[in-house]
Amino acid sequence: MDSAILHFISPPIPYFVDCGYAYYGVGDSHIERNCIQVFDLIVVRKGMLSIGENGCSWEINEGEGFILLPDGHHYGDVPCTTDTEIIWIHFQTFGSWQICCDMNECLGKQMELIEEHKKLAYLHHADVSSIFIPKHMKLSPKALEVLETFFQQENEPQSLRNWKRQASFQLFLQHLDREFASPMNDTAIRIADRIELFIRQNYASDITNSVLQEKMNYHPNYLAKAMLKVYGMTPITYLQYYRLEQSKRLLLQTPLSIARIAEEVGFQHVSYYSALFSKKEGLSPTGFRRKFALKR
């Protein structure tokens, strides 16, 4: 099913807000609303719901899901022609997200979105990852089974029920993300993930294109194309990026000197490390530490 893709960055993972059932008889339509400030996931359990958003129309059939945007204009496009039952789930996220036409656009904008997310979510030194959810989707039996758990805790105390629903929602998102990503997992994505894992596990070592060629058994040009497609940068540029991100951890969490930090994350020359850091962050490593770390 071709669909636009909602691209979230985590942590934090998009969080559950509320859920419920809704019923539509023949001739009924979805209510008209504007900018409800939460994502609205609609899953049709029975029948068919015709819905509009910002001038576009969709038919959501039995077993399908659809996500309405928090800043959109929503309305019933055509009255129901059969009795229809839906599950609705409201959720929200903290930080950055975007909607893209296809996976290529998502991957092309991924690093830009990650950098924006880190600033908005105050994740100056945290590892983050992408979550890809289609706007209009066919749900697997397993995903539908997880959905039903949202309504199996009605006799639980409120505090316990809310915890369980958060856990169920995260499991549900995990199913959607994995089911969507599996067909997209072509050779380039698999290779890029192997490179990323190798860099993450060995970033303090001397990693060159020759080393990557030996470990991955592919020509450096092919490795570069794979990383550019998935991460928007070459392996060596990603290595520099990852080293700088790890240095932020040490700047904020340890009293190590700038020279020692440069050495710990794999830079042979502290002057080169400081220049790269300043170019990326707009301030020196020392300035970054002064801005975010309190002196004891």
Side-chain angles (χ1 to χ4, degrees):
M1 176 184 295
D2 292 333
S3 171
I5 303 166
L6 277 74
H7 183 181
F8 299 95
I9 306 293
S10 72
I13 295 173
Y15 57 89
F16 169 84
V17 176
D18 197 9
C19 66
Y21 290 106
Y23 304 89
Y24 301 88
V26 175
D28 292 339
S29 299
H30 188 276
I31 191 172
E32 183 173 3
R33 304 171 306 187
N34 195 50
C35 297
I36 63 173
Q37 302 303 308
V38 290
F39 293 91
D40 186 5
L41 169 64
I42 294 174
V43 176
V44 175
R45 300 179 78 214
K46 173 186 174 184
M48 187 276 286
L49 185 67
S50 180
I51 200 158
E53 180 183 62
N54 299 333
C56 297
S57 301
W58 291 268
E59 288 186 354
I60 319 303
N61 295 299
E62 186 173 326
E64 294 180 355
F66 187 80
I67 300 176
L68 295 167
L69 303 182
D71 55 355
H73 175 213
H74 313 146
Y75 47 89
D77 188 52
V78 177
C80 291
T81 57
T82 185
D83 290 342
T84 299
E85 179 183 339
I86 71 166
I87 292 172
W88 57 266
I89 297 176
H90 290 170
F91 68 96
Q92 190 48 279
T93 189
F94 182 73
S96 295
W97 64 277
Q98 63 184 4
I99 185 164
C100 298
C101 295
D102 54 34
M103 198 64 177
N104 287 334
E105 184 181 359
C106 285
L107 296 175
K109 295 179 177 180
Q110 182 169 228
M111 295 312 300
E112 179 183 345
L113 188 66
I114 285 174
E115 288 302 308
E116 178 188 88
H117 178 80
K118 285 192 171 187
K119 293 175 183 178
L120 289 177
Y122 306 105
L123 300 172
H124 302 293
H125 61 286
D127 290 336
V128 299
S129 60
S130 292
I131 299 172
F132 301 109
I133 307 294
K135 183 176 176 65
H136 187 191
M137 68 205 86
K138 178 69 175 179
L139 297 175
S140 69
K142 188 63 178 177
L144 289 169
E145 181 182 325
V146 173
L147 266 185
E148 295 300 330
T149 66
F150 281 80
F151 305 95
Q152 292 173 4
Q153 294 112 15
E154 289 300 326
N155 295 323
E156 300 273 11
Q158 184 181 28
S159 58
L160 185 59
R161 183 171 68 246
N162 286 341
W163 278 111
K164 289 186 175 181
R165 282 180 170 172
Q166 288 291 346
S168 295
F169 180 68
Q170 292 188 14
L171 180 60
F172 180 68
L173 282 187
Q174 187 178 33
H175 278 294
L176 296 185
D177 179 57
R178 287 183 174 179
E179 289 166 6
F180 177 71
S182 294
M184 309 297 294
N185 195 25
D186 60 15
T187 302
I189 294 177
R190 290 197 301 272
I191 291 172
D193 284 345
R194 284 180 60 200
I195 297 169
E196 191 276 338
L197 179 62
F198 179 79
I199 288 174
R200 184 153 42 89
Q201 293 177 340
N202 301 277
Y203 66 90
S205 304
D206 184 20
I207 299 177
T208 64
N209 282 323
S210 297
V211 170
L212 290 172
Q213 181 177 12
E214 180 182 349
K215 295 295 182 182
M216 305 294 154
N217 200 28
Y218 285 98
H219 192 277
N221 289 344
Y222 187 76
L223 298 179
K225 288 180 180 179
M227 283 294 286
L228 281 168
K229 177 179 180 181
V230 179
Y231 289 93
M233 59 183 79
T234 66
I236 300 306
T237 302
Y238 185 83
L239 171 63
Q240 292 177 347
Y241 166 83
Y242 193 80
R243 283 173 170 169
L244 291 174
E245 291 300 298
Q246 297 311 301
S247 77
K248 292 181 188 178
R249 292 175 180 267
L250 299 179
L251 287 167
L252 297 181
Q253 298 176 0
T254 76
L256 295 176
S257 68
I258 304 302
R260 178 65 185 282
I261 288 173
E263 180 183 353
E264 287 286 323
V265 300
F267 288 103
Q268 296 181 3
H269 303 288
V270 65
S271 58
Y272 181 57
Y273 161 65
S274 296
L276 280 179
F277 192 100
S278 299
K279 182 178 180 180
K280 180 177 181 295
E281 298 297 326
L283 70 170
S284 68
T286 301
F288 182 87
R289 172 176 270 171
R290 286 173 178 166
K291 181 176 180 180
F292 295 110
L294 295 176
K295 292 184 177 180
R296 296 183 183 276

